[in-house]
Amino acid sequence: MKGIDMSSLSKFTFKTLAKAPPVDPIQRRRDKIIAAIEQQKLVLAAAIKGETFTVPAKAEGKPAKAVRAWWVGQDNGYYVQCRYGARPLLLNAANNAVFVNKLDEVSAVLTAFAAAAKAGELDAAMAAVAERKKG
């Protein structure tokens, strides 16, 4: 078999690229939930202004998609959930929400969720939800 004429490429340095190491699933979950929490902060900012936060549609010609908030107004306050995908996480042994009195207090809860995710405090709850998805 004859070699390929590489005169056009001769000025470049060639090397073999090794396959990237696999991403740790725990870190991937943390990154995913932290990104979702950051998006919820944008949803909150829009809600405070009386607007709806949307993301562009994945397919051309489709309308933008509104992002669902992780909180609901009820009992003269707001219940804030931390979600992994569509499912709420259990934040302690039995509860899946934090209650705050005002909408502008939701930001502090979202910040606490992000800190907990970065510290690995939500790993077990995310693993439980991820396991339920598989089963």
Side-chain angles (χ1 to χ4, degrees):
M1 186 168 138
K2 275 188 158 182
I4 299 173
D5 181 19
M6 303 270 273
S7 58
S8 301
L9 301 174
S10 63
K11 60 186 171 195
F12 297 108
T13 303
F14 292 93
K15 292 186 176 188
T16 299
L17 176 64
K19 185 178 177 182
V23 178
D24 176 30
I26 293 170
Q27 188 60 49
R28 184 176 44 236
R29 285 186 196 123
R30 287 180 189 172
D31 293 344
K32 180 179 176 181
I33 201 162
I34 290 168
I37 291 166
E38 292 303 316
Q39 186 179 58
Q40 284 298 307
K41 290 180 180 180
L42 298 173
V43 173
L44 177 63
I48 289 172
K49 293 179 188 174
E51 300 171 357
T52 301
F53 181 79
T54 59
V55 292
K58 291 181 181 177
E60 282 188 43
K62 298 224 175 183
K65 182 180 173 187
V67 178
R68 184 176 168 198
W70 286 1
W71 61 89
V72 60
Q74 190 174 316
D75 299 333
N76 295 320
Y78 295 88
Y79 289 89
V80 187
Q81 295 180 314
C82 187
R83 294 180 166 270
Y84 184 69
R87 296 185 186 246
L89 300 180
L90 280 179
L91 301 172
N92 61 17
N95 300 298
N96 66 3
V98 174
F99 183 80
V100 295
N101 293 314
K102 298 178 185 171
L103 186 59
D104 59 359
E105 294 173 353
V106 171
S107 179
V109 177
L110 294 175
T111 300
F113 287 164
K118 288 176 188 171
E121 296 170 15
L122 300 177
D123 290 351
M126 287 187 292
V129 168
E131 195 59 36
R132 267 183 38 192
K133 284 181 179 180
K134 291 179 186 177

